[in-house]
Amino acid sequence: MKENVASMIVFLLLLFLNIRLLKGQSPPGKPFIFKCRSPEKETFTCWWRPGADGGLPTNYTLTYHKEGETITHECPDYKTGGPNSCYFSKKHTSIWTIYIITVNATNQMGSSVSDPRYVDVTYIVEPDPPVNLTLEVKHPEDRKPYLWVKWLPPTLVDVRSGWLTLQYEIRLKPEKAAEWETHFAGQQTQFKILSLYPGQKYLVQVRCKPDHGFWSVWSPESSIQIPNDFTMKDITVWIFVAVLSTIICLIMVWAVALKGYSMVTCIFPPVPGPKIKGFDTHLLEKGKSEELLSAFGCQDFPPTADCEDLLVEFLEVDDSEDQQLMPAHSKEHSGPGMKPTDLDPDNDSGRGSCDSPSLLSEKCEEPQANPSTFHTPEVIEQPEKPKANVTHTWDPQTISLVGKMPYLSVNGSKSSTWPLLQPGQHNTNSPYHNIADMCKLATSLDKIDKDALQSSKTTEAAGEEKATKQREVESSHSKAEQDTGWLLPKEKPPFISPKPLDYVEIHKVNKDGALSLLLKQKENGDQTGKAGTPETSKEYAKVSRVMDNNILVLVQDPGAQNVALFEESTKEAPPSPSQNQAEKDLSSFSTAPSDCRLQQGGLDYLDPACFMHSLH
Amino acid sequence: MNMSKVYKANVCKRENRKIADFLWSGVFPASITTMDSKWSRRTAGSLLLLLVSNLLLCKSTASLPICPSGAVNCQVSLRDLFDRAVILSHHIHKLSSEMFNEFDKRYTQGRGFITKAINSCHTSSLSTPEDKEQAQQIHHEDLLNMVLRVLRSWNDPLYHLVTEVRGMQEAPDAILSKAIEIEEQNRRLLEGMEKIVGQVHPGIKENEIYSVWSGLPSLQMADEDARLFAFYNLLHCLRRDSHKIDNYLKLLKCRIIYDSNC
C-alpha cells in the first residue's frame, strides 16, 4: 500500500516534470554584462547580454553596490542606454570607486544572476568622436596650398575645466586610395595637411582619446575636392606651345616630303661612278668589244696604225689662270655623242683618249646643235666639206682643230684643250662660243689654205697644220695676247710667248709614216724657242730646234723614251715644198718607225734612235 | 626633466651653503688666529677650492632657462610650475597603469584579486572629492593640500615597493624599472607641489598630514598568494591615487592658470 502511494507520487512528479519539459519552459539563462562605458567620466552605461530566456517572458534587473558601501542599489535608468542597458547618471556616478554590478534575470520558472562585474569609471572612459569636422583648402602666397582641418571636441566632454584632456588623431586619403594616412594632432583642434595631390577628392576623419582612456570611434567622413595646380594661364601657355610645335612639325614633314630627294642629295651628294663617255656597259656585258670600242670612234684597241679616223687633238690655250676650255669633259650621263652640258674639270670619268677629239670635233661643228654621234670625223666633216671629204681622216680634223687653236689664242679665249670650268664665269658658254669662233676660224683658215689642204698626205697635213697655225697666229698677232704657240720655231720670235708652249703629242703614225699629232696642253715654264716640256714624257716630242730647212727637230722629252724627229715646214716657206719635203722625210721613216713603234705599247712612239739613224 | 634640474640646483645651493657656513664659521677663524697650523691651512684651502668648484658646477646645473638674468626675485612662474607638475603627474600615472597591467597579466590574471581589493587603499581615509562637481566645489588651496597629502602618503610605500619588487623571485625588470622611476618622479612632484603651494598661498604652513601606510608586512609575507595580493593591492591603489593626483592637478591648472578655459 505504501509502496503504491510512493510510486504514485513519484509517477505524478515525473508526469508533472514531463509536462513541464514538454512545454519547453525553463528558468532564464545567466545574463552577461559585456560592456560598461563612460563618455565623459561623469556618467556611464552598462549593457548586458541576456541568456536563454527559457521560453517565458524574462525580467531583468540590475543591481549594484559601491566600494566602501553596503547598500545595494538598483539601476536608476534602464531606458537611456537602450535595451538591456543601465544608465548611471551623474548623480549616481562616483569616480575612483569600484562598482560591483550584477544583473538578475527572472522569469516564471526561475531566475538567474549574472557574474558580478567590477567597474571603476576611471578606466572605462571612451568619448564620442569629435564633431564639426570642417575642411578648407588654403592658398597662401608663395607657398603650395594646404588642407586646413578643423574640428570641435565632442559635446559631452568637459575640456574647458580640465576634467578631461583630449588628444586627437586625424586620417585622410584620396577617395580612390586603399589606405589611410594617419596624423597625430595632440591636443589641438586643428591641423594642416601639406602633402596633397592636386585634383583629387580627399576623405578625412578624426577621433579623440582622453588622457587615460580609450580611443573614440572615427567621426563620419568629410570630403573635399583639391583644386588642380594648373591655373588657366598655365593651360593656355601649354596649349599654345603644343599647337606651335605641331605646326612646325607639319611644315618640316611637308618640306621633307616635297624636296626630300634634293635635300638628301644636297646632304649626301651622289658619288659618281666610273663611266666612260660613249661606253655602253651593256655592250661590255655582252662581250662585244668591237661594238663597244667603235662607239668611241676607235676602230681597234689597241689602236692600230690604221686608226685614221681617230683624231685626237689637244688644244692647249695657255693663258692666265682664267677659264679654260675643256671640251673633252663631259658628264658621264651625257652619253656618247652628246654635247657636254656641264664642264666638270675634275671629272675624269669616261675621259679617254678618244673623248677629247670627238668632243672637240663636236664643238667645232656646232655648239648649239646636238651632236648626234660620237664619230668625230663626221661632225668635223661638215665644215670641211668643201675642202676634202675625208670623214675618217684626221687631216681635216687636225686642220680644223689647228684652226681652232689659233683662234683660241687670238681671241684670248684662254681656253685650253681641256677646258677647266672656272667658277662663276661664263664657262659653259665660253667653250661653245669659242668653238663657234674656232669653227669659223677653221673655215676661214681652210679657205685660206685650201691649196695646202688639198694634199691628202697626212704628213703634209701635219706640216700644214702647223703652218696654218703659225700663219694664223701671225695674222692675228695683234690679238695674240695670250700665248698659245706650242710649236714655235726659233725664227719666229713674235710667236714666242713667255708662257709655256704647246706640245705635240705624237699620237700615232699611220701607215704612210705620217704622224698624228696631238695638241697637248702643257703649261710649263719652258723658255721660248723650245716647245714646252711635255707633261707626259712618253707621248710627246719636244721641239728642240728648228733646222734651216724648215725642219723641226723633235727630241725626246727628258722622261720620254721616244723622240720623234719631225720635219715641218715653217710658215714662211711655201707650204707645199716644205710639206713635200717633210713628207719625204717622214716617208723615209715609215719603216723605221714601225720598228721603233713596236718597242712601245699603246700609242705609237717613234724611237729617237730610229730617226737619228734615219736622219744620219 | 626640468624638475630634476630644479632639484639639483636646490641641492647644490644647500650643500654649498653648508660648506660655506662650515668654512666661515669653523675653519677660517681658527686658521686665521692660529696660522701656524699647516693642516688647518691646508684644510681651509681645500675646502675653499671645493666651494669654488661646487659653485661653478652648481652654476652649470642650475642654469635653468626659465629665470631671465637680472630678475630680482627670480622664480619659476606658476604657469611653468603647473605645466611641469602636470607633466610629472601624467607620467607617473601612465607608468603606474602600465605597471599594474603587467603585474596583473603576469601573476594574478584570472584569480579574482579585485574582489578582495575593495576598499583597501590606505589613502581612503583622506577625504578626496569623488566626482567632478565635488572637485570643482573645493577651493583650490584645499585641493592643493589634498594633493600634497596624497603625495606624501606615497613616499614610504613607493620606497618599499622598489625594495620588495627587487627581492621578488624572478624580479621582473619592467616592473622594477617602472617602480624606481615612479618613486623618483613622485619625489620631484612633491617638491614641485610644495613650490606651487608656496606661491599660491604663501605663508600658510599646514601640518604635514598624510596617511600612514602599514602594508609593509603584507609585502613581506611568506605566503606567496598573500604576498602577491599585497603587491596587487598596492599597485592597484597606486594606480588610482596617481590618477587622482593627475586629475586634480589638471583641474587646478585650468582653473588657476587658464581661468577654467583650457
Side-chain angles (χ1 to χ4, degrees):
Chain A
M1 194 56 184
K2 274 188 188 173
E3 292 166 0
N4 287 340
V5 171
S7 60
M8 197 68 161
I9 291 167
V10 169
F11 176 71
L12 283 172
L13 278 170
L14 285 169
L15 187 65
F16 192 64
L17 195 61
N18 255 350
I19 291 166
R20 270 192 160 184
L21 286 171
L22 282 170
K23 279 187 184 175
Q25 294 174 344
S26 66
K30 193 158 77 169
F32 175 69
I33 301 169
F34 68 92
K35 186 176 177 180
C36 289
R37 174 182 165 257
S38 167
E40 76 286 80
K41 208 161 75 173
E42 295 170 43
T43 66
F44 73 104
T45 311
C46 282
W47 293 271
W48 67 86
R49 200 180 295 116
D53 64 348
L56 294 166
T58 314
N59 196 11
Y60 295 95
T61 57
L62 186 142
T63 56
Y64 69 92
H65 69 274
K66 290 203 282 193
E67 178 185 6
E69 290 178 3
T70 54
I71 307 165
T72 305
H73 308 271
E74 192 180 343
C75 173
D77 189 338
Y78 287 100
K79 309 286 186 202
T80 309
N84 297 328
S85 73
C86 180
Y87 171 75
F88 295 83
S89 61
K90 284 187 191 180
K91 198 169 72 164
H92 299 95
T93 307
S94 299
I95 317 299
W96 304 295
T97 312
I98 297 176
Y99 281 68
I100 299 103
I101 304 169
T102 56
V103 174
N104 290 324
T106 315
N107 68 359
Q108 203 175 11
M109 297 291 293
S111 65
S112 62
V113 178
S114 68
D115 291 332
R117 186 172 173 99
Y118 294 84
V119 177
D120 193 336
V121 180
T122 316
Y123 312 118
I124 59 165
V125 182
E126 184 190 326
D128 294 330
V131 296
N132 277 26
L133 180 61
T134 58
L135 306 172
E136 189 183 341
V137 179
K138 293 220 173 195
H139 301 271
E141 293 177 7
D142 303 333
R143 274 184 293 172
K144 296 191 77 168
Y146 62 89
L147 181 63
W148 178 245
V149 185
K150 284 177 68 174
W151 61 87
L152 289 177
T155 50
L156 296 173
V157 174
D158 184 6
V159 187
R160 293 180 59 151
S161 66
W163 183 242
L164 266 184
T165 308
L166 291 177
Q167 290 174 329
Y168 303 97
E169 198 175 66
I170 67 168
R171 70 177 187 182
L172 71 155
K173 69 167 184 175
E175 194 176 15
K176 304 276 169 56
E179 295 202 351
W180 290 92
E181 180 188 335
T182 311
H183 298 275
F184 184 73
Q187 295 178 17
Q188 56 195 8
T189 56
Q190 59 210 9
F191 201 74
K192 273 187 207 174
I193 307 284
L194 298 171
S195 57
L196 292 172
Y197 293 110
Q200 296 251 15
K201 186 179 173 191
Y202 271 87
L203 304 172
V204 183
Q205 286 181 318
V206 63
R207 67 175 182 176
C208 60
K209 170 183 171 308
D211 39 0
H212 301 289
F214 299 98
W215 281 105
S216 70
V217 297
W218 288 102
S219 67
E221 286 177 357
S222 272
S223 63
I224 188 164
Q225 178 76 26
I226 310 294
N228 259 319
D229 260 353
F230 281 128
T231 59
M232 277 313 297
K233 193 173 78 164
D234 290 338
I235 288 172
T236 51
V237 165
W238 282 111
I239 288 170
F240 176 72
V241 167
V243 167
L244 200 65
S245 52
T246 310
I247 290 168
I248 290 168
C249 282
L250 285 174
I251 289 169
M252 283 172 61
V253 166
W254 172 78
V256 167
L258 278 185
K259 306 194 180 175
Y261 181 71
S262 59
M263 279 169 62
V264 168
T265 53
C266 180
I267 296 167
F268 302 107
V271 177
K275 189 174 178 187
I276 301 169
K277 186 171 183 293
F279 193 83
D280 191 354
T281 52
H282 296 302
L283 290 174
L284 185 66
E285 284 165 10
K286 288 177 194 169
K288 297 177 183 175
S289 62
E290 294 82 9
E291 293 171 13
L292 189 67
L293 295 172
S294 65
F296 285 122
C298 302
Q299 287 191 332
D300 289 313
F301 189 76
T304 61
D306 291 334
C307 185
E308 306 158 358
D309 53 348
L310 183 61
L311 178 67
V312 179
E313 280 189 326
F314 295 88
L315 277 176
E316 180 181 355
V317 178
D318 182 27
D319 196 19
S320 62
E321 58 280 2
D322 290 331
Q323 68 180 31
Q324 292 162 332
L325 180 64
M326 190 96 90
H329 284 284
S330 71
K331 268 196 182 162
E332 53 277 14
H333 66 264
S334 57
M338 287 288 291
K339 219 174 359 180
T341 53
D342 292 332
L343 300 174
D344 185 4
D346 294 330
N347 188 0
D348 284 333
S349 68
R351 180 165 60 110
S353 59
C354 300
D355 275 355
S356 46
S358 59
L359 288 170
L360 283 171
S361 57
E362 287 165 13
K363 284 172 193 163
C364 174
E365 174 57 24
E366 258 181 279
Q368 308 306 326
N370 295 326
S372 55
T373 70
F374 198 70
H375 296 282
T376 56
E378 295 169 2
V379 175
I380 299 299
E381 179 195 7
Q382 293 174 18
E384 304 298 330
K385 267 181 188 172
K387 302 173 198 51
N389 187 16
V390 249
T391 60
H392 291 280
T393 60
W394 57 272
D395 299 340
Q397 292 174 352
T398 55
I399 293 163
S400 62
L401 286 171
V402 166
K404 281 186 233 163
M405 186 189 67
Y407 177 76
L408 286 171
S409 66
V410 166
N411 281 337
S413 60
K414 308 174 187 182
S415 55
S416 64
T417 318
W418 311 108
L420 295 168
L421 199 62
Q422 300 296 326
Q425 297 180 3
H426 51 287
N427 296 330
T428 51
N429 294 328
S430 60
Y432 300 116
H433 175 72
N434 293 334
I435 288 165
D437 292 340
M438 281 160 51
C439 287
K440 287 177 195 169
L441 182 63
T443 52
S444 65
L445 284 173
D446 291 335
K447 286 170 191 167
I448 293 168
D449 299 327
K450 194 169 184 177
D451 294 334
L453 295 173
Q454 290 293 335
S455 172
S456 62
K457 299 226 170 147
T458 58
T459 53
E460 290 170 2
E464 183 183 290
E465 89 181 287
K466 304 296 185 296
T468 53
K469 170 190 175 279
Q470 289 170 0
R471 272 196 299 266
E472 184 58 31
V473 170
E474 273 186 343
S475 60
S476 56
H477 169 63
S478 60
K479 284 198 177 179
E481 296 303 327
Q482 288 79 16
D483 173 41
T484 57
W486 89 119
L487 288 172
L488 293 176
K490 270 196 282 193
E491 292 83 348
K492 308 294 172 195
F495 300 97
I496 295 170
S497 65
K499 289 285 179 90
L501 310 173
D502 291 335
Y503 297 98
V504 176
E505 172 191 30
I506 299 172
H507 184 75
K508 59 182 73 173
V509 179
N510 61 3
K511 49 194 165 195
D512 294 334
L515 295 168
S516 73
L517 298 174
L518 289 169
L519 289 174
K520 175 66 181 174
Q521 171 202 4
K522 179 65 179 124
E523 297 220 343
N524 217 343
D526 284 357
Q527 60 278 31
T528 59
K530 282 187 187 174
T533 54
E535 30 182 15
T536 59
S537 55
K538 286 184 185 176
E539 302 172 354
Y540 302 105
K542 175 171 132 182
V543 175
S544 65
R545 66 182 189 278
V546 174
M547 296 171 66
D548 293 334
N549 52 352
N550 302 326
I551 295 171
L552 290 171
V553 177
L554 301 174
V555 297
Q556 188 181 5
D557 189 71
Q561 302 192 10
N562 298 313
V563 150
L565 190 60
F566 185 69
E567 288 180 348
E568 193 178 47
S569 59
T570 59
K571 56 182 189 290
E572 303 113 28
S576 38
S578 60
Q579 288 167 5
N580 291 330
Q581 185 174 4
E583 177 191 5
K584 255 194 284 186
D585 289 335
L586 280 176
S587 60
S588 64
F589 299 151
S590 60
T591 54
S594 59
D595 297 333
C596 304
R597 196 192 323 141
L598 293 173
Q599 296 177 11
Q600 301 294 326
L603 291 175
D604 286 325
Y605 299 106
L606 294 173
D607 191 1
C610 307
F611 292 113
M612 295 304 286
H613 284 299
S614 303
L615 279 173
H616 293 85
Chain B
M1 299 231 28
N2 291 333
M3 286 301 287
S4 67
K5 279 190 182 168
V6 172
Y7 175 72
K8 278 178 188 165
N10 291 335
V11 167
C12 271
K13 283 181 193 166
R14 275 204 298 272
E15 299 303 316
N16 287 339
R17 212 173 294 128
K18 283 178 192 167
I19 293 168
D21 289 342
F22 174 70
L23 280 174
W24 286 110
S25 63
V27 177
F28 270 122
S31 64
I32 287 168
T33 54
T34 61
M35 282 296 192
D36 52 350
S37 173
K38 273 192 181 175
W39 179 87
S40 60
R41 269 209 300 275
R42 212 179 288 125
T43 310
S46 60
L47 283 172
L48 192 62
L49 189 66
L50 190 66
L51 174 68
V52 169
S53 63
N54 270 352
L55 282 171
L56 288 171
L57 286 168
C58 283
K59 205 163 168 62
S60 63
T61 58
S63 58
L64 297 167
I66 46 176
C67 266
S69 59
V72 175
N73 195 12
C74 177
Q75 277 191 3
V76 183
S77 72
L78 198 60
R79 175 189 287 246
D80 292 330
L81 283 171
F82 262 110
D83 284 341
R84 295 177 195 193
V86 166
I87 290 166
L88 271 174
S89 64
H90 185 97
H91 186 56
I92 289 167
H93 174 69
K94 191 157 160 272
L95 289 171
S96 304
S97 188
E98 287 170 9
M99 189 165 65
F100 173 81
N101 288 331
E102 283 172 21
F103 181 87
D104 188 34
K105 193 169 75 172
R106 190 181 170 126
Y107 296 102
T108 60
Q109 183 70 42
R111 294 179 66 170
F113 281 1
I114 189 64
T115 58
K116 289 187 282 183
I118 304 294
N119 205 25
S120 60
C121 291
H122 67 288
T123 53
S124 324
S125 58
L126 299 172
S127 58
T128 53
E130 292 290 304
D131 61 12
K132 188 176 97 171
E133 284 75 16
Q134 288 178 20
Q136 281 178 332
Q137 282 164 12
I138 294 178
H139 196 260
H140 61 269
E141 293 168 358
D142 297 327
L143 199 54
L144 277 169
N145 288 330
M146 254 177 244
V147 168
L148 279 173
R149 280 184 223 136
V150 174
L151 284 171
R152 287 193 196 108
S153 304
W154 277 99
N155 273 338
D156 196 36
L158 281 171
Y159 171 78
H160 289 290
L161 175 68
V162 170
T163 315
E164 295 308 314
V165 168
R166 227 184 243 129
M168 271 174 75
Q169 67 196 42
E170 305 167 359
D173 287 335
I175 294 170
L176 180 61
S177 62
K178 286 190 174 75
I180 293 166
E181 179 80 4
I182 290 167
E183 194 220 346
E184 188 180 346
Q185 301 297 341
N186 199 68
R187 220 178 315 123
R188 290 200 190 126
L189 181 59
L190 190 57
E191 287 178 14
M193 289 314 300
E194 284 172 355
K195 270 204 178 62
I196 289 172
V197 169
Q199 279 201 16
V200 170
H201 46 97
I204 295 175
K205 194 119 171 118
E206 66 151 33
N207 302 332
E208 292 196 356
I209 303 167
Y210 64 94
S211 293
V212 177
W213 179 64
S214 58
L216 184 57
S218 311
L219 285 179
Q220 295 163 334
M221 272 181 172
D223 183 15
E224 192 63 29
D225 282 351
R227 195 153 162 259
L228 277 175
F229 174 72
F231 274 109
Y232 179 91
N233 195 45
L234 189 62
L235 294 177
H236 162 78
C237 292
L238 177 61
R239 178 169 77 145
R240 173 187 289 178
D241 285 343
S242 60
H243 190 278
K244 265 189 198 175
I245 291 162
D246 187 40
N247 219 150
Y248 296 156
L249 285 176
K250 283 168 181 169
L251 276 172
L252 283 168
K253 179 180 132 180
C254 283
R255 194 197 297 182
I256 295 171
I257 308 297
Y258 297 100
D259 200 15
S260 298
N261 197 15
C262 274

